[in-house]
Amino acid sequence: TKIIRELELGSSLAQALEKYGHPYFEEKIIALLWAGEQSGQLRNAVNSAQLFTKQEMEQKIHTLTTIIQPLLLIFVGLIIAFV
């Protein structure tokens, strides 16, 4: 991929993601990885990015299920009402 090619050419991970990773990586994740590279703590930065992404995904799933649950209840109620 383009990101791997950039890394092979000597770019940092953050630079490669900045250039080609925008559809897949949020700006704050790229900034976190950049800070990890600059401080020599890339492993910790990757772990933090993973934890942040996991928590964000869990929050989105929770929000979605909170919205869908009442709609499903109404839908089932309408089915029972018309049967």
Side-chain angles (χ1 to χ4, degrees):
T1 66
K2 293 178 181 180
I3 294 173
I4 292 172
R5 184 166 301 158
E6 281 292 312
L7 293 172
E8 290 172 345
L9 292 173
S11 294
S12 72
L13 178 59
Q15 288 171 330
L17 293 176
E18 180 74 32
K19 193 170 183 179
Y20 296 111
H22 278 290
Y24 310 106
F25 297 94
E26 294 182 28
E27 190 66 36
K28 53 189 157 191
I29 297 297
I30 296 171
L32 180 62
L33 295 175
W34 180 85
E37 287 178 327
Q38 297 300 311
S39 65
Q41 298 293 317
L42 183 57
R43 181 182 298 220
N44 291 338
V46 169
N47 288 336
S48 295
Q50 180 269 335
L51 181 62
F52 173 79
T53 303
K54 179 182 176 187
Q55 290 172 341
E56 191 173 63
M57 186 61 65
E58 287 173 350
Q59 181 61 38
K60 288 179 181 179
I61 289 170
H62 176 72
T63 301
L64 184 62
T65 57
T66 301
I67 292 169
I68 289 175
Q69 187 177 10
L71 296 174
L72 283 174
L73 186 62
I74 291 169
F75 180 71
V76 170
L78 289 172
I79 290 175
I80 292 173
F82 289 110
V83 171

